[in-house]
Amino acid sequence: MKKLGFLLQKEFRQIFRDKTILAMMIGVPIIQLMILPWAMDLNVRNINLSVVDNDHSTYSQQLITKIASSGYFRIVSADASYKQALEHIENGSSDLIMELPNGFEHNLIREGKQDIGVSVDAINGTKASIGGAYLGSVIADFDVNLQVNQISVPDSVSKPHGFMDITFSNWYNPHAEYKYFFVPGVLVLLLTMIGGFMTSLNIVREKEVGTIEQINVTPIKKWEFIMGKLIPFWIIGMVVFTIGLTVLWGVYGIKAVGSISLLYLVAGVYMIALLGFGLLISTYCENQVQAMFIAFFFILIFILMSGLFTSVQSMPDWAQMISNFTPVAHFIKLVRMVILKGSGMPDILKELGYISAFAVGLNVWAIWNYRKTT
Amino acid sequence: VKQLFVFIRKEFKQVFRDPRTLLIMFGLPIAQIILFGYALTSEVKNVEIVISDHSKDVVSTKIVQNIKATGYFIVHEKTMGNREIDNTFKKGHVQCVLVFPDNFNNDLTHQGKAQVQIIVDGTDPNTAKTIVNYLNAIINAYQQANFPSSALKYQIITQPRMLYNEEDNGSMNYIPGVMALILMLVCTALTSVSIVKEKELGTMEILLVSPFKPVMVLVAKAVPYFILSLVNFTIILVLTVFLLHIEVKGSLLLLYLESALFILTCLSLGLLISNSTNAQQTALLISMMGMMLPTIIFTGFIFPLENMPWILQTIANVVPSKWYFLIIKAVMLKGLGFQYVWKQTLILFVMTAFLLTIALKKFKIRLQ
């Protein structure tokens, strides 16, 4: 036990000696947490629209005015032909083209029906589908207004029978603000990067510099060496987590609905799992470049597959399986549940079980794989 | 020049001597592009929904059937009150509850009006919005088919056309983004250790006292990584075309030239990092841990740049991968020519020149 104390002392000294590393570990994550979530806004607004009006009639003008005043669209150009409008899509200044055919008003009054063309830049799927849907609803609304104006049916008759009044409510996040979703996620990510990158780098460095051989010939036991490496980073991780929670509350006004101690329990177990992961990487690598690249590989997968940015349930089955095998996916879910919904211990038992399994499994694997003799 | 070749050969040998690093360099990006190409999508599918039907009549049953038929939902049926809904949401699987009140059909036929309530778990706003849109569309379609409004005399029918993406492939936007992301991070990280490694090992001093010009050291360091990165790009491109079925619509030559330019930008950035640091660890931490998240966010393939506050939009402007993302989207997916991307190309070019100049300035040719 005393040996472990000395080892810890040595590790802390090494960490605090190098100011750059310390800044990378604590400063950079916190700054990123304060800045990056402001950039995370998936709202679709200001859809740029190019209009080709081949009709130049009262109705076509009315429709265009209506779209312009709907608040969703910015009409960036009125073009003489589809070809011209396409230019705007090609250079990226426009997202949608609406083409009103010649005889739009005439056909509408005579035949009661008219097709109009809507072309969407569909590379960005979200913007395309939502932009198309908005435009559809504005046009449908225009339809209804037209009817009311034209026939001026008395109110009682025009009211359709069998009307379904759809109301919806967003629980836990009534204004559907993205910060509630992304800020806790970013906090999780930063913890992940500290745990994954720092431990693996630290141990491989001892290998590369050769000091690990010196330690190997001392009476220090395997588990003491590993504990000596893990405990300092665990503490730093928890410090960053605490600062992060303060930032959540101070900068973003997000206060945990659920119990704080539960949150710390989850974070503590998660850090153990992650440190085990870093350790495992370091046992397989010879130098820092390798360790960094392997850590990078997994952390990028963690970031993009864990459901932080895109939803896991929409992925193909095999991808969901992979997602399930990343501890991050479970931790993000847990943090969101406890912070935003106030889920309690019984609700999170299963996810916590997953993370604990990772914590045990990864560390056992790493210790088993770490050989003092080589 | 002959000296330079000898030197470049040395660098190549050093790279190839370490097969594990080589494997990581090529293997990882390949695995990632495949993984993300299939897994990332903007679609919302497999939504777990609970139908809380207090009425259980003809109309509500029919609507539920329509919901099932879309294939977007995994439907559970169970009547529950608000307290129970809260408990269900807290477990985290169910994302939406659709409530038909008592006497739904009765109200509908006799009073001409009935309420349907959609309750979504708003912690994921994007999914929540999409779910509401889906359900709205389904219910409205049912209403229009079964209770046609008597006054529907005029109809404007929109004929949508999906440009560049007829099959409505939800991963289309992500693939060029992931390409830009991986190229940028891998190139920068690899070069960022190149010089600092010699510094750390002490071999830098030997190079500096040799008759070889110091600037040439930089060039010789950059050339192998430039070539390897181009090979890497080729592999990624081949995978994108043949495995992910994204065809290159524009000129292949242009795509290569632009990519070469982008790789140069990243190499310059890597050299700058390498010249400004003293340890491999620091260099790697800056080029990977420091740059990873900003690159993901400011490339603009996940979050629309135009939604960001202006300060962050300005920051995004100095991230090279943002411009490269715009370029490959235009050339690869839209099939446009150079006249559409010259501005972005110029910006990348200026960035490269700027980064290289500072990197050279920072390159210390004297020993302390």
Side-chain angles (χ1 to χ4, degrees):
Chain A
M1 224 43 207
K2 211 168 157 199
K3 271 186 286 181
L4 185 59
F6 286 125
L7 270 176
L8 285 176
Q9 219 177 5
K10 166 212 156 226
E11 288 299 331
F12 270 114
R13 264 200 205 146
Q14 260 183 344
I15 292 169
F16 282 110
R17 194 185 298 145
D18 194 338
K19 292 283 177 295
T20 342
I21 302 281
L22 202 64
M24 284 306 295
M25 251 183 331
I26 297 178
V28 173
I30 297 301
I31 292 172
Q32 291 193 346
L33 182 63
M34 293 209 273
I35 296 177
L36 294 182
W38 299 104
M40 299 177 164
D41 182 353
L42 286 171
N43 270 313
V44 177
R45 50 172 105 92
N46 296 333
I47 303 158
N48 296 323
L49 179 72
S50 289
V51 179
V52 185
D53 184 359
N54 293 320
D55 196 37
H56 297 290
S57 59
T58 326
Y59 275 13
S60 70
Q61 285 308 316
Q62 273 178 12
L63 179 59
I64 293 167
T65 319
K66 180 154 178 100
I67 291 168
S69 61
S70 70
Y72 298 125
F73 297 96
R74 215 161 43 190
I75 297 188
V76 285
S77 67
D79 301 293
S81 69
Y82 176 76
K83 227 177 152 186
Q84 255 183 40
L86 197 60
E87 288 269 309
H88 293 283
I89 294 241
E90 283 175 343
N91 66 27
S93 63
S94 182
D95 305 308
L96 257 109
I97 302 174
M98 183 177 73
E99 199 182 9
L100 301 174
N102 192 6
F104 171 74
E105 182 179 285
H106 184 259
N107 290 340
L108 203 57
I109 295 175
R110 280 291 166 81
E111 289 159 33
K113 216 172 145 178
Q114 175 63 57
D115 288 358
I116 61 175
V118 173
S119 307
V120 195
D121 179 349
I123 291 177
N124 184 343
T126 320
K127 204 163 183 178
S129 63
I130 293 186
Y134 282 168
L135 194 63
S137 73
V138 175
I139 292 174
D141 201 29
F142 178 73
D143 266 1
V144 173
N145 275 335
L146 215 57
Q147 270 135 43
V148 174
N149 282 340
Q150 278 293 311
I151 330 167
S152 63
V153 221
D155 226 31
S156 55
V157 184
S158 79
K159 198 159 226 167
H161 63 285
F163 177 69
M164 291 181 214
D165 185 14
I166 309 169
T167 57
F168 71 92
S169 46
N170 282 311
W171 283 18
Y172 314 112
N173 184 7
H175 303 293
E177 285 178 81
Y178 283 100
K179 65 176 185 183
Y180 287 101
F181 188 60
F182 287 122
V183 177
V186 174
L187 176 62
V188 167
L189 247 176
L190 297 172
L191 267 192
T192 309
M193 295 215 283
I194 296 170
F197 279 136
M198 300 308 299
T199 23
S200 55
L201 266 188
N202 187 294
I203 297 175
V204 171
R205 193 168 178 221
E206 301 236 15
K207 267 195 199 173
E208 217 176 327
V209 180
T211 43
I212 206 159
E213 289 176 12
Q214 291 168 13
I215 289 175
N216 284 345
V217 294
T218 61
I220 294 171
K221 292 198 184 66
K222 230 179 179 180
W223 68 269
E224 281 171 331
F225 172 72
I226 285 173
M227 288 303 272
K229 286 287 177 197
L230 296 191
I231 291 172
F233 288 108
W234 189 85
I235 292 174
I236 289 174
M238 295 315 274
V239 169
V240 170
F241 187 65
T242 309
I243 303 176
L245 283 181
T246 321
V247 171
L248 242 65
W249 173 71
V251 177
Y252 299 100
I254 301 174
K255 248 198 295 192
V257 181
S259 119
I260 297 278
S261 47
L262 190 59
L263 213 52
Y264 270 94
L265 172 72
V266 175
V269 178
Y270 177 68
M271 272 314 278
I272 298 175
L274 217 68
L275 293 174
F277 170 73
L279 191 68
L280 186 63
I281 289 180
S282 69
T283 59
Y284 279 105
C285 295
E286 292 149 2
N287 58 48
Q288 296 178 56
V289 182
Q290 286 177 4
M292 208 64 188
F293 266 82
I294 291 187
F296 162 72
F297 173 71
F298 282 107
I299 286 175
L300 201 55
I301 290 180
F302 288 172
I303 294 179
L304 293 178
M305 307 275 290
S306 63
L308 179 72
F309 298 130
T310 58
S311 73
V312 175
Q313 88 231 359
S314 308
M315 297 177 182
D317 286 337
W318 59 267
Q320 289 191 35
M321 285 259 287
I322 294 176
S323 176
N324 254 326
F325 273 104
T326 64
V328 194
H330 299 284
F331 186 49
I332 285 189
K333 218 168 156 186
L334 276 180
V335 168
R336 282 183 179 144
M337 279 161 77
V338 177
I339 292 188
L340 303 176
K341 299 189 211 170
S343 302
M345 193 63 173
D347 299 319
I348 64 167
L349 220 51
K350 194 175 139 208
E351 301 291 325
L352 190 60
Y354 272 120
I355 295 189
S356 313
F358 277 118
V360 175
L362 287 169
N363 279 298
V364 168
W365 185 358
I367 294 173
W368 178 78
N369 201 44
Y370 165 73
R371 289 190 181 80
K372 257 190 88 171
T373 44
T374 47
Chain B
V1 180
K2 203 178 153 205
Q3 259 180 339
L4 184 64
F5 274 115
V6 176
F7 214 83
I8 292 175
R9 248 212 348 248
K10 168 219 157 216
E11 291 297 333
F12 261 117
K13 266 193 193 150
Q14 259 182 348
V15 175
F16 282 112
R17 195 184 300 147
D18 183 356
R20 213 187 277 195
T21 311
L22 212 61
L23 181 74
I24 291 166
M25 225 168 85
F26 289 112
L28 300 195
I30 292 171
Q32 279 174 338
I33 197 99
I34 296 174
L35 209 53
F36 300 145
Y38 282 112
L40 293 184
T41 166
S42 55
E43 277 177 298
V44 174
K45 282 186 287 199
N46 308 325
V47 178
E48 299 232 9
I49 183 172
V50 171
I51 311 275
S52 174
D53 189 350
H54 295 271
S55 180
K56 294 224 166 49
D57 55 53
V58 204
V59 177
S60 67
T61 318
K62 186 75 196 75
I63 291 178
V64 173
Q65 269 173 20
N66 289 353
I67 290 173
K68 281 181 188 159
T70 58
Y72 290 124
F73 294 93
I74 301 169
V75 179
H76 309 276
E77 291 182 56
K78 193 180 179 207
T79 40
M80 33 186 181
N82 275 3
R83 164 72 57 85
E84 213 183 334
I85 293 174
D86 185 40
N87 284 337
T88 316
F89 279 159
K90 277 185 178 160
K91 290 210 166 54
H93 295 290
V94 173
Q95 288 164 298
C96 174
V97 178
L98 182 67
V99 185
F100 293 101
D102 278 336
N103 302 322
F104 174 71
N105 190 16
N106 212 11
D107 288 353
L108 204 59
T109 39
H110 292 115
Q111 294 172 14
K113 197 176 162 180
Q115 275 208 340
V116 197
Q117 200 189 3
I118 304 171
I119 301 172
V120 276
D121 177 350
T123 45
D124 178 353
N126 220 38
T127 311
K129 277 179 198 168
T130 316
I131 295 174
V132 172
N133 280 346
Y134 282 163
L135 290 175
N136 258 326
I138 295 168
I139 297 172
N140 282 334
Y142 178 82
Q143 181 169 325
Q144 260 168 26
N146 292 283
F147 302 94
S149 122
S150 55
L152 204 74
K153 208 179 154 199
Y154 300 119
Q155 254 186 311
I156 300 173
I157 302 154
T158 47
Q159 301 281 8
R161 253 182 77 193
M162 305 302 252
L163 298 172
Y164 314 117
N165 185 7
E166 272 99 26
E167 293 120 57
D168 204 12
N169 176 351
S171 326
M172 197 116 180
N173 200 38
Y174 291 114
I175 290 168
V178 172
M179 280 171 73
L181 175 72
I182 292 176
L183 269 184
M184 166 125 175
L185 291 175
V186 172
C187 290
T188 313
L190 279 176
T191 11
S192 74
V193 279
S194 61
I195 287 173
V196 84
K197 194 176 176 189
E198 305 250 4
K199 276 197 228 169
E200 224 176 56
L201 294 177
T203 42
M204 198 68 206
E205 301 183 5
I206 301 171
L207 286 178
L208 289 179
V209 295
S210 71
F212 199 57
K213 265 207 196 121
V215 180
M216 285 297 142
V217 176
L218 280 190
V219 177
K221 285 278 174 200
V223 168
Y225 289 115
F226 178 72
I227 294 172
L228 289 175
S229 298
L230 267 184
V231 175
N232 218 346
F233 169 73
T234 311
I235 299 174
I236 291 177
L237 193 66
V238 168
L239 287 175
T240 318
V241 173
F242 291 102
L243 223 62
L244 303 177
H245 306 292
I246 304 278
E247 53 171 330
V248 179
K249 291 205 177 122
S251 139
L252 204 57
L253 179 69
L254 182 61
L255 195 62
Y256 261 93
L257 288 178
E258 296 285 359
S259 302
L261 176 62
F262 177 62
I263 290 170
L264 271 183
T265 319
C266 300
L267 290 183
S268 319
L269 183 61
L271 284 178
L272 176 60
I273 295 174
S274 205
N275 282 340
S276 331
T277 50
N278 288 319
Q280 287 186 64
Q281 205 179 1
T282 327
L284 282 171
L285 281 179
I286 294 176
S287 63
M288 301 211 112
M289 195 166 140
M291 278 175 44
M292 182 190 267
L293 211 46
T295 313
I296 292 179
I297 287 166
F298 293 121
T299 301
F301 73 107
I302 296 181
F303 298 100
L305 291 168
E306 71 259 22
N307 278 358
M308 297 181 189
W310 67 269
I311 301 183
L312 296 183
Q313 290 197 24
T314 319
I315 296 177
N317 281 339
V318 299
V319 176
S321 52
K322 175 203 158 172
W323 302 105
Y324 180 63
F325 175 56
L326 290 176
I327 293 173
I328 41 176
K329 244 187 0 182
V331 175
M332 206 170 134
L333 303 181
K334 296 190 184 173
L336 303 176
F338 183 67
Q339 70 269 29
Y340 288 94
V341 293
W342 67 269
K343 235 190 275 171
Q344 288 88 335
T345 313
L346 187 67
I347 291 170
L348 276 186
F349 192 77
V350 172
M351 266 184 196
T352 314
F354 179 73
L355 288 170
L356 262 186
T357 319
I358 311 188
L360 281 177
K361 276 243 169 75
K362 285 242 172 187
F363 184 51
K364 294 189 189 72
I365 50 171
R366 308 217 161 266
L367 307 172
Q368 261 89 12

